[in-house]
Amino acid sequence: MLLKRYTGNLLLLILLFLLLAFFFLGDVFIPKAIDFSDYPMLHSVFVVFLGLFLESIPFLFLGAIASSFIQLFISEEIIQRMIPKRPLTAIFAAIAAALIIPVCECAIIPVVRRLIQKGVPVHAGVVLLVTAPILNVIVFGSTYYAFQNNPSILYGRIILCVLTAIIAGLFIHIFSTKDVVKEDKVELVQGHEHDIQSSKWTGFIDHTSQEFFMVGRYFIIGALFASVFQVFMDRSVMADIGQAPIKGTALMMGIAFVLSLCSSADAFVAASFSHSFLPGSILGFLVFGPMLDLKNVLIMMSCFKRSFVVTYVLLIFAVVFSLCLIAGGLISKGGF
């Protein structure tokens, strides 16, 4: 156990060093170290993957840190006192909490898992999963800036996010079981705080490293698939069905799922599709993507049981798809 713990900390330090090297020296040494001249598509895949990696890794760190802090420093009694007893009240409390949680769609998953283990109701955790990546100042600002001439997209994104959270939260409260968290190797580090030779802060570092590498390996797989799709995606095919509400919305939701963009920057990508797709389809991209994408589904599979993940995926898809069709109709008639 000690060897595994110190190995995790060492890997964490090495990764931090590599991240700094990428930021400051990557544009100088990477092209010289790897010759992409004969493989331009491979070069594009590498660039997109590196962009996703550098964009998301800091937020994965934040999620691992927040998860470890909750595990080691916040007791079940404190959390239980903070959570309203009534299901509907708990849902709105989770929506309010999402406004002040500065984490993205990847980072929120280990945080929610830890909160559920500490006593937060599953339906309230689902609300956090849905709302935290969208209901924050950074996403508000980027969406407003990207759609300055179409504020209905900004309003629609917020309204649909809240409605999806309420519907999904109530559904999970009624139909889901409480036993949804997957027991994983990371749970072994819970005993670190009881180690005689370790302080709580040492346990905090140990837990953060284990949490980060457990989540990170799934993120890397998802980011790799997303980068390959972005490079080989044929945009001409999308333009042919962009004006069909049902097909266009389904396609934009699928694109958002595979591209796996960070919610703080996806509005600018969505704006590039606005001339080819209807507003309802654009909302499908902006609402569904932060809630579900390829990399965070893989991360969810590492944190929650498969049956819960499948239920969550189908539920969110059905709710967002339906709401986007309704919102698209309202916008076309001058609503929002």
Side-chain angles (χ1 to χ4, degrees):
M1 181 66 70
L2 286 175
L3 178 60
K4 182 178 180 180
R5 182 174 64 187
Y6 292 130
T7 301
N9 292 339
L10 178 61
L11 290 174
L12 188 63
L13 291 174
I14 293 174
L15 182 58
L16 286 172
F17 175 79
L18 290 175
L19 284 175
L20 292 175
F22 274 132
F23 274 118
F24 295 106
L25 303 173
D27 59 339
V28 176
F29 291 105
I30 290 177
K32 295 180 180 179
I34 306 175
D35 183 11
F36 288 112
S37 57
D38 296 329
Y39 306 97
M41 300 297 284
L42 182 61
H43 175 265
S44 299
V45 170
F46 177 79
V47 170
V48 174
F49 172 79
L50 189 60
L52 286 173
F53 182 80
L54 294 178
E55 179 184 60
S56 301
I57 285 297
F59 296 101
L60 290 178
F61 270 119
L62 284 176
I65 291 170
S67 174
S68 300
F69 183 85
I70 292 169
Q71 169 63 20
L72 297 175
F73 296 99
I74 299 180
S75 66
E76 288 85 347
E77 292 76 15
I78 293 176
I79 293 177
Q80 289 170 0
R81 287 198 299 266
M82 294 171 59
I83 302 171
K85 300 299 181 182
R86 297 180 179 179
L88 191 59
T89 309
I91 288 174
F92 284 104
I95 293 175
L99 294 170
I100 59 174
I101 297 178
V103 292
C104 72
E105 60 270 22
C106 298
I108 193 62
I109 295 172
V111 173
V112 168
R113 182 195 59 182
R114 191 64 59 199
L115 287 171
I116 291 175
Q117 289 178 325
K118 288 287 186 177
V120 169
V122 175
H123 66 279
V126 166
V127 171
L128 281 175
L129 286 175
V130 169
T131 54
I134 296 178
L135 299 185
N136 62 72
V137 175
I138 297 176
V139 175
F140 291 165
S142 64
T143 307
Y144 171 78
Y145 189 82
F147 292 94
Q148 294 182 64
N149 298 323
N150 192 2
S152 60
I153 297 296
L154 172 62
Y155 304 143
R157 188 178 199 184
I158 297 171
I159 294 171
L160 265 60
C161 173
V162 173
L163 289 177
T164 301
I166 295 172
I167 295 171
L170 290 174
F171 182 93
I172 293 296
H173 172 69
I174 296 172
F175 296 104
S176 180
T177 63
K178 295 181 180 180
D179 184 22
V180 301
V181 176
K182 182 178 180 180
E183 297 296 331
D184 203 286
K185 294 179 181 179
V186 75
E187 302 301 329
L188 297 174
V189 301
Q190 292 183 14
H192 288 176
E193 62 179 310
H194 302 295
D195 192 336
I196 298 176
Q197 299 179 356
S198 299
S199 66
K200 270 199 169 184
W201 286 108
T202 302
F204 175 79
I205 296 173
D206 295 338
H207 192 280
T208 300
S209 63
Q210 295 286 347
E211 185 87 31
F212 174 79
F213 285 109
M214 186 273 293
V215 173
R217 65 176 181 261
Y218 291 93
F219 163 78
I220 290 174
I221 296 172
L224 180 60
F225 279 109
S227 60
V228 170
F229 181 85
Q230 287 193 51
V231 171
F232 291 95
M233 178 176 60
D234 188 351
R235 293 180 179 268
S236 62
V237 175
M238 297 186 297
D240 294 336
I241 60 176
Q243 298 303 309
I246 295 178
K247 293 181 179 179
T249 300
L251 178 60
M252 285 299 285
M253 290 172 64
I255 292 172
F257 179 84
V258 179
L259 291 186
S260 302
L261 300 172
C262 182
S263 58
S264 61
D266 61 355
F268 300 100
V269 177
S272 68
F273 291 110
S274 59
H275 297 296
S276 303
F277 287 84
L278 298 172
S281 302
I282 299 298
L283 284 174
F285 183 94
L286 292 172
V287 176
F288 185 73
M291 298 178 187
L292 274 176
D293 61 38
L294 183 59
K295 64 180 187 299
N296 70 23
V297 167
L298 291 173
I299 295 173
M300 286 187 69
M301 292 294 290
S302 71
C303 296
F304 300 101
K305 293 185 176 180
R306 183 177 301 176
S307 58
F308 172 76
V309 176
V310 172
T311 300
Y312 179 83
V313 170
L314 295 177
L315 174 64
I316 297 301
F317 177 85
V319 173
V320 172
F321 184 73
S322 302
L323 290 177
C324 286
L325 292 179
I326 295 172
L330 291 174
I331 293 175
S332 64
K333 296 178 180 179
F336 277 177

